[in-house]
Amino acid sequence: MWQYLMPTKIFFSQRVVEKNKEIFKNFGAKALVVTGRTSSRINGSLSDIENALKSMGIEFYVYDRIEENPTFEQIRQAVEECKTQSFDFVIGVGGGSPLDSAKAIAVLLRNRSLRVEDLYDSNKYSSALPIVAIPTTSGTGSEVTQYSVLTDDTGFKRGFGHDSIFPVIALIDPVYTVSMTVSLTRSTGLDALCHAVEGFLSKKATPISDLYAVESMKLIKENLPKALENPNDLEARTAMSFASCLAGMVISQTSTTLAHVLGYPLSTFKGIRHGDATAAFLDAVVHGAESEIPQKVQKVKEIFGDIKRFIESAGLKIELQLSDEELETWVKRALTAKHMQWTRGVFDELSIRKLYERMRID
Ligand code: NAP
Ligand code: ZN
């Protein structure tokens, strides 16, 4: 038995915001635009949105203080600042951090009595303000997922999923991604790679998600090296935006697995970018699935050869100092993480500790 839900309407092209500005009129008279501090001003996405909204006669307010790995506290501050105004819809523009924040804010502005913690109890709400997602990185696929990943008050990343936060519209313009640095291109590209591979090997994989996953893997194999070599290669950027969107559609069906679980603390406690942190464990996901689904693992190998080597050739090398206490806390946390149940293979305390120890230096 499998099912498929993908309610997000996707528009994909260069100058996509300008070409489709009429769609904003369907959502009402006032928009909240949620973004980060600088990049959406540099890559042109914010001015495209402002121009589109102005020409449609839609009022808007820009909240631009979302940081990488958004925290509960940042969401509380955003809601506190925005709750005095009445918005008809929320536009998230930027990388996964502003998109995920826009989703959380959209729920909290629609359901005024909820606290951030309540986002994790899906029975406590059933709707959000409509969300328009405009990605400027090519990695998270958040523009087509029902997930938002926030960092809780103890410093751990926790994702919540709810059908009400599927963006109603995703507007994808690959040109916005051209301004990404090489290291951001690598980490976001590797994030998309993890989504495709983890989703393909997940216990929740479906025939539809597998189609998307295989296409996404092929596009990444071909185009991530090109985008890293030549940041202005618009064909490669376009392929990576498409691959990332496909991989987002994959995890919207399959969830992520072990690599995401183990990568989260590396981002919040060691400052390692999400995609880099996650990709450091992707070879273990492939290895873990080998005895259960050898044909699917063979397919991954057909595309990438040795996946660890492909990831390293993109420039990833993680070495970190890790105290015994950190190691113990992270291992314990991983063992109880929800997404472990969809990971194939046996991962116990010892094997998880070994995976962290691989990157440990004195
Ligand atoms: P991000 O955290 O949104 O942004 C990282 C950095 O990239 C920021 O400094 C940002 O600048 C900058 N940036 C964004 N677009 C840029 C561009 N076009 N050119 C130059 N710089 C740019 O990065 P991300 O990797 O896209 O998102 C990671 C987050 O998404 C994590 O919190 C992760 O847990 C989450 N995630 C969510 C899902 C999901 O399904 N919801 C899936 C995977 C990951 P500003 O500071 O100016 O914004
Ligand atoms: Zn991810």
Side-chain angles (χ1 to χ4, degrees):
M1 206 285 282
W2 56 271
Q3 47 180 297
Y4 178 71
L5 174 70
M6 177 38 61
T8 305
K9 184 164 183 177
I10 301 165
F11 295 76
F12 190 112
S13 87
Q14 292 179 30
R15 295 179 36 243
V16 73
V17 173
E18 186 192 331
K19 284 181 191 161
N20 297 286
K21 58 189 176 189
E22 270 82 18
I23 56 141
F24 291 118
K25 277 198 301 206
N26 301 334
F27 295 107
K30 187 160 179 182
L32 170 63
V33 180
V34 175
T35 190
R37 281 190 191 275
T38 49
S39 66
S40 60
R41 290 195 167 83
I42 292 165
N43 60 41
S45 53
L46 186 58
S47 61
D48 285 351
I49 294 163
E50 289 175 339
N51 290 338
L53 294 173
K54 277 181 204 156
S55 73
M56 290 295 112
I58 297 169
E59 244 190 278
F60 59 91
Y61 179 74
V62 178
Y63 185 85
D64 65 357
R65 293 208 296 283
I66 303 299
E67 291 171 19
E68 280 186 60
N69 304 308
T71 61
F72 278 20
E73 195 47 37
Q74 283 168 33
I75 300 299
R76 289 188 195 107
Q77 280 170 15
V79 172
E80 192 57 33
E81 181 171 320
C82 299
K83 73 179 184 194
T84 51
Q85 304 180 56
S86 172
F87 295 104
D88 298 306
F89 64 111
V90 179
I91 301 172
V93 54
S97 298
L99 300 194
D100 286 3
S101 302
K103 291 171 175 178
I105 293 165
V107 176
L108 296 171
L109 288 180
R110 168 57 68 82
N111 303 274
R112 296 294 176 115
S113 60
L114 287 191
R115 299 165 307 148
V116 183
E117 292 80 350
D118 297 328
L119 294 169
Y120 294 79
D121 183 347
S122 57
N123 297 317
K124 287 197 168 158
Y125 57 101
S126 59
S127 63
L129 290 179
I131 298 156
V132 177
I134 305 176
T136 65
T137 61
S138 47
T140 72
S142 181
E143 68 275 13
V144 289
T145 73
Q146 71 281 45
Y147 308 126
S148 165
V149 186
L150 305 175
T151 300
D152 72 16
D153 294 326
T154 67
F156 277 95
K157 261 179 181 281
R158 285 170 59 198
F160 70 95
H162 199 282
D163 286 352
S164 68
I165 59 167
F166 263 118
V168 180
I169 304 274
L171 295 170
I172 306 171
D173 185 342
V175 173
Y176 295 149
T177 68
V178 170
S179 58
M180 288 197 290
T181 59
V182 170
S183 67
L184 188 61
T185 302
R186 183 193 61 229
S187 76
T188 52
L190 291 180
D191 190 21
L193 169 69
C194 290
H195 296 165
V197 175
E198 283 175 83
F200 187 58
L201 303 178
S202 161
K203 288 184 183 169
K204 282 170 72 183
T206 74
I208 289 189
S209 67
D210 283 353
L211 288 175
Y212 294 164
V214 169
E215 185 58 22
S216 179
M217 286 189 275
K218 287 180 181 167
L219 287 167
I220 293 165
K221 166 73 169 54
E222 189 66 26
N223 293 284
L224 180 57
K226 289 183 187 166
L228 288 169
E229 183 132 330
N230 177 9
N232 295 317
D233 181 341
L234 199 52
E235 214 175 295
R237 293 292 195 187
T238 303
M240 286 306 298
S241 288
F242 181 37
S244 164
C245 177
L246 282 173
M249 290 196 272
V250 172
I251 57 165
S252 73
Q253 313 300 309
T254 65
S255 305
T256 53
T257 61
L258 174 92
H260 271 70
V261 170
L262 298 195
Y264 281 163
L266 264 57
S267 295
T268 49
F269 297 114
K270 301 291 176 186
I272 295 169
R273 284 224 158 101
H274 170 67
D276 289 344
T278 306
F281 304 101
L282 192 61
D283 61 314
V285 173
V286 177
H287 188 62
E290 203 142 28
S291 61
E292 285 182 40
I293 41 170
Q295 280 155 344
K296 287 184 107 176
V297 169
Q298 189 51 38
K299 185 78 201 168
V300 176
K301 287 184 179 167
E302 248 171 52
I303 297 170
F304 291 103
D306 179 355
I307 197 125
K308 192 160 185 274
R309 206 165 294 156
F310 177 77
I311 290 167
E312 284 168 358
S313 71
L316 184 69
K317 184 171 171 60
I318 297 180
E319 289 182 329
L320 38 90
Q321 285 176 330
L322 198 56
S323 71
D324 291 341
E325 200 190 342
E326 281 173 320
L327 189 60
E328 287 319 305
T329 318
W330 295 6
V331 171
K332 268 201 199 100
R333 187 93 189 181
L335 284 168
T336 57
K338 192 168 127 203
H339 291 204
M340 291 302 287
Q341 65 183 301
W342 301 306
T343 305
R344 292 188 187 272
V346 181
F347 291 96
D348 56 12
E349 201 174 328
L350 187 66
S351 54
I352 290 175
R353 183 175 296 117
K354 272 192 183 151
L355 289 172
Y356 280 128
E357 274 173 348
R358 292 195 307 192
M359 52 187 62
R360 198 174 188 187
I361 48 164
D362 295 329

